[in-house]
Amino acid sequence: MKMSKMYIRTLRETPAEAVLPSHILMIRTGMIRKLVSGVYGYMPLGKRVLDKVEKIVKEEMDATGAQEILMSALQPAELWQESGRWGAYGPEMWRVKDRNEREFCLGPTHEEIFTDIIRTGVSSYRQLPVTLYQIQTKYRDEARPRFGLMRSREFIMKDAYSFDRDEEGLDESYKTMYDAYTRVFTRCGLKFRPVEADTGAIGGNGSHEFTALAENGESSIVYCEHCDMAATDERAELRDDPPSSESEAMLPLEEVETPGTKTIEAVADYLKLDKKQTIKALLYETYDDEGTLSGYVAAFIRGDREANVIKLANALGIQEHQIAFADEEKMSVLTGCVGGFTGPIGLKNCRIIADSEIVGLKNLCAGANHSDHHYINVNYGRDYTADMVVNFKMIQEGDPCPVCGQPVKFTRGIEVGQVFKLGTKYSHPMHAVYKDENMKEHDIVMGCYGIGVSRTMAAVVEQYHDDDGIIWPVSVAPYHVIITVMKTKDETQMQLAEKIERECAAQGIEVMLDDRDERPGVKFKDADLLGIPVRITVGRKAGDGIVEYKLRKDADKTELSAEDAVKNASEYIKGELARYSHEAVADL
Ligand code: ATP
Ligand code: MG
């Protein structure tokens, strides 16, 4: 296709709000266009990339035997009320009303809809297992939409749902999808890692996230170089240090003056203690499904540890958005806590959660709930108890691996997909059942599986770029070859360029021809920015049938006859397409 006829607008300037390379480059290449915060449109080149990612996703889903359908974004509130998520989903859900005040949402996900399909369509074990999927637009009113397609408020997701008779069936469906995801992301050219994940608002009892490795990624993942352990930092478990020895005596509780020591560092310093001998207080308020304040929580953890708020929310049976740091002044009136001097002894009207580690440690120092005072020799059981004892420690770089005990490492990534074992979390409340061979009724056992299709595009750019622009892997490149004509007005050059264009097209290669009336420098800059894998430059030597051949990913250029350039391009592109094909990854 001739660039002079294409709608392409590249920008020299970096858009002010864009910080990530993928965001900057997708705006600068004109691939995406912002409408309002977190809402983007796909322009011609962006749409081609999106289509290619979708095609890969479809091929891999179809190969598993899953069937594609397409459901509406608009979903009636009643289905979400049945599953119990209308309230629990929180402010991310885009709620709308029709003219008769009936409530709907713009679907952030589709568990309820697919469960509803299956409960009306499936009655017998003979109809199971079955997996359905769709590629469709999702809406989430994200608190902080940012990074372009990475975290947007409208985005494209592939979501699949599996329906099985029992847990063994689910395990199989889950494994099938897990393997398909491995193939999808490999075919998109991504360097990624599947990691164990928390199940969040979706629920269920087993999950993995597929994380594209990227230093700018929002996900923090923990892994071990000595064993296979890899998990999100929210999910990874940090084991308790061993308890104090049996022989250590509990010393008498004593209140001591600790003027101005509002932090763990300050009090440990003042009393000449190791931070490991102190208890840190974390004060939270919680909210019910309507978003109303429902109570206070004081969580206690060893002074040198950090809290994992997801684990606290899970223990409390609430969602992440239903817990936040407390307004200490308000909390103090009701509970007796004192900012900087809060301890578990004598607190009232709040739930006390103790980290499992401190329960086994003797003679710790904790706030006395009096200004400028701490207790020393605080012991669990004797001096205080908790409403809940939970391991809610956040793992840190160098902490022991929960599996093998060696020090763990951290890396960052972009969550491009997630798979969940849902069990009967939706089928039970929504009464999606089947009858077995003996006509006995059972809840259908479900799994759900999401891929952020638009986010995957951004993740590819995040991994494949340099200072000059994008470097597309061939499998998702908007075009395979760009022919740059140095002087469009030169007939010899244009004729040779058009001949190359025809020959490439005849080989099934997707080619764009830069015939714009622009300076060569501008054309080269745009070709690099757009990241087309092969560039063939037609210039002064066109009369001799000589062109310049260059791969976007390599620095070197070679002079070749036009025939050889077409042959090289064709071999390279076909080779890369084969390398990223379904057949090539079938064993993954
Ligand atoms: P995150 O933790 O990043 O908010 P999530 O865990 O809430 O994502 P899921 O419910 O697992 O997301 O959705 C499936 C996939 O959809 C995710 O793995 C991700 O790739 C994609 N996705 C989720 N939220 C967004 C968003 N706001 N913008 C673009 N893609 C998204
Ligand atoms: Mg997720």
Side-chain angles (χ1 to χ4, degrees):
M1 174 140 197
K2 302 242 177 350
M3 262 178 98
S4 61
K5 304 266 185 321
M6 291 167 81
Y7 182 83
I8 293 187
R9 286 192 48 189
T10 57
L11 302 178
R12 293 276 164 263
E13 308 301 318
T14 297
E17 82 273 18
V19 285
L20 290 201
S22 58
H23 186 192
I24 294 171
L25 289 171
M26 277 198 277
I27 295 279
R28 281 195 51 208
T29 51
M31 294 192 9
I32 59 169
R33 182 174 183 277
K34 178 171 147 185
L35 190 58
V36 288
S37 169
V39 182
Y40 290 85
Y42 302 86
M43 300 311 287
L45 295 182
K47 178 68 166 64
R48 288 179 72 94
V49 176
L50 183 68
D51 286 349
K52 290 192 179 182
V53 175
E54 286 189 0
K55 183 160 177 276
I56 290 174
V57 172
K58 274 187 195 181
E59 283 174 7
E60 294 306 329
M61 287 298 114
D62 293 345
T64 67
Q67 284 174 287
E68 187 176 11
I69 61 172
L70 180 59
M71 291 295 112
S72 157
L74 208 53
Q75 305 182 5
E78 292 81 2
L79 286 177
W80 289 75
Q81 280 150 357
E82 264 190 72
S83 73
R85 283 209 296 182
W86 184 250
Y89 208 92
E92 248 181 42
M93 187 189 268
W94 218 301
R95 292 158 210 265
V96 287
K97 283 187 184 156
D98 73 5
R99 64 177 75 198
N100 301 315
E101 294 291 302
R102 184 171 169 192
E103 287 190 294
F104 292 82
C105 70
L106 294 174
T109 174
H110 274 69
E111 282 76 15
E112 282 78 359
I113 305 298
F114 278 66
T115 308
D116 183 50
I117 296 171
I118 292 299
R119 72 174 167 183
T120 51
V122 165
S123 53
S124 156
Y125 71 96
R126 287 191 197 88
Q127 296 165 281
L128 299 175
V130 66
T131 298
L132 299 175
Y133 79 96
Q134 63 176 348
I135 295 178
Q136 183 261 6
T137 305
K138 297 280 186 274
Y139 295 86
R140 293 186 187 178
D141 195 2
E142 296 276 354
R144 273 174 300 154
R146 53 190 172 159
F147 307 147
L149 297 185
M150 205 82 91
R151 184 165 298 285
S152 45
R153 299 197 291 171
E154 182 190 85
F155 60 96
I156 299 173
M157 197 203 284
K158 183 288 299 177
D159 44 331
Y161 305 84
S162 66
F163 302 87
D164 277 279
R165 291 184 67 162
D166 47 29
E167 293 289 333
E168 291 81 67
L170 169 60
D171 287 349
E172 220 169 284
S173 299
Y174 185 86
K175 170 88 170 57
T176 302
M177 279 291 152
Y178 182 104
D179 292 345
Y181 275 37
T182 302
R183 292 195 286 270
V184 165
F185 297 122
T186 304
R187 291 183 63 189
C188 292
L190 286 174
K191 292 173 268 302
F192 67 95
R193 187 159 198 163
V195 302
E196 266 188 52
D198 188 75
T199 48
I202 305 277
N205 51 17
S207 178
H208 286 85
E209 274 179 22
F210 284 75
T211 313
L213 303 174
E215 58 187 58
N216 290 319
E218 289 185 282
S219 306
S220 180
I221 59 182
V222 192
Y223 66 99
C224 177
E225 287 180 326
H226 305 271
C227 73
D228 288 342
M229 193 284 300
T232 62
D233 62 350
E234 294 165 348
R235 167 77 184 185
E237 193 170 282
L238 174 56
R239 289 211 208 127
D240 296 348
D241 267 357
S244 305
S245 89
E246 291 267 348
S247 59
E248 186 177 337
M250 288 192 202
L251 301 174
L253 183 70
E254 199 183 320
E255 186 169 338
V256 293
E257 222 177 316
T258 52
T261 59
K262 287 195 157 198
T263 63
I264 289 291
E265 285 73 23
V267 71
D269 211 35
Y270 185 82
L271 294 174
K272 312 241 168 331
L273 297 171
D274 190 312
K275 284 202 283 186
K276 292 184 178 174
Q277 293 166 285
T278 67
I279 296 178
K280 177 155 71 182
L282 295 139
L283 307 174
Y284 297 98
E285 49 195 41
T286 57
Y287 304 91
D288 64 16
D289 284 355
E290 272 73 52
T292 316
L293 185 68
S294 60
Y296 290 106
V297 172
F300 296 97
I301 193 166
R302 204 173 74 183
D304 61 319
R305 303 293 201 190
E306 297 301 327
N308 181 336
V309 72
I310 303 284
K311 292 206 164 150
L312 283 174
N314 287 347
L316 290 161
I318 56 177
Q319 308 296 330
E320 193 184 347
H321 67 86
Q322 294 175 305
I323 180 165
F325 280 121
D327 176 328
E328 279 188 17
E329 267 173 42
K330 284 195 189 139
M331 178 163 175
S332 149
V333 176
L334 202 69
T335 66
C337 69
V338 176
F341 299 92
T342 301
I345 304 173
L347 270 190
K348 52 185 192 303
N349 300 326
C350 67
R351 276 202 273 184
I352 295 184
I353 303 185
D355 181 68
S356 47
E357 186 171 57
I358 59 170
V359 167
L361 299 175
K362 290 182 185 158
N363 303 321
L364 300 176
C365 164
N369 300 317
H370 296 150
S371 205
D372 297 333
H373 284 77
H374 279 81
Y375 280 119
I376 54 169
N377 304 328
V378 175
N379 289 285
Y380 186 83
R382 183 191 72 178
D383 306 316
Y384 74 101
T385 54
D387 299 300
M388 264 190 250
V389 175
V390 179
N391 179 348
F392 66 92
K393 288 181 288 301
M394 189 70 154
I395 197 161
Q396 312 279 345
E397 178 115 32
D399 279 336
C401 166
V403 177
C404 75
Q406 294 294 318
V408 295
K409 297 220 155 178
F410 269 63
T411 188
R412 300 199 71 81
I414 301 160
E415 180 199 322
V416 283
Q418 186 164 11
V419 290
F420 298 84
K421 288 185 186 173
L422 294 174
T424 58
K425 177 171 159 100
Y426 296 90
S427 55
H428 188 71
M430 294 182 69
H431 201 64
V433 296
Y434 71 93
K435 288 201 175 74
D436 68 14
E437 293 85 338
N438 305 313
M439 297 304 278
K440 192 165 173 278
E441 213 172 73
H442 303 273
D443 291 332
I444 295 176
V445 181
M446 292 174 54
C448 77
Y449 316 91
I451 289 181
V453 176
S454 40
R455 187 185 281 184
T456 296
M457 257 173 89
V460 172
V461 178
E462 208 56 48
Q463 288 189 356
Y464 289 90
H465 70 269
D466 62 13
D467 290 346
D468 298 321
I470 304 174
I471 311 171
W472 289 109
V474 171
S475 60
V476 295
Y479 285 90
H480 301 140
V481 171
I482 183 164
I483 305 167
T484 308
V485 187
M486 302 285 277
K487 217 177 190 178
T488 308
K489 293 204 175 91
D490 181 317
E491 253 179 49
T492 318
Q493 290 188 18
M494 264 313 281
Q495 274 170 7
L496 184 61
E498 284 174 340
K499 181 163 174 267
I500 295 171
E501 185 192 17
R502 280 193 305 276
E503 283 170 7
C504 282
Q507 307 258 2
I509 290 173
E510 299 167 11
V511 53
M512 55 198 281
L513 198 170
D514 192 351
D515 62 336
R516 294 174 303 165
D517 191 15
E518 291 282 1
R519 282 179 293 114
V522 171
K523 295 186 180 184
F524 288 142
K525 272 211 155 51
D526 277 349
D528 281 350
L529 183 64
L530 295 174
I532 310 301
V534 178
R535 188 181 80 201
I536 297 174
T537 307
V538 181
R540 257 175 305 156
K541 294 189 183 166
D544 305 325
I546 303 291
V547 298
E548 186 188 271
Y549 179 85
K550 182 181 177 300
L551 297 186
R552 172 67 180 88
K553 68 182 179 62
D554 297 336
D556 34 307
K557 311 163 188 164
T558 36
E559 285 199 343
L560 295 174
S561 68
E563 294 74 50
D564 283 348
V566 172
K567 193 161 147 267
N568 277 18
S570 160
E571 272 169 18
Y572 175 70
I573 297 298
K574 285 182 182 157
E576 287 295 286
L577 290 176
R579 198 157 72 84
Y580 289 119
S581 67
H582 172 69
E583 291 68 31
V585 300
D587 293 337
L588 289 180

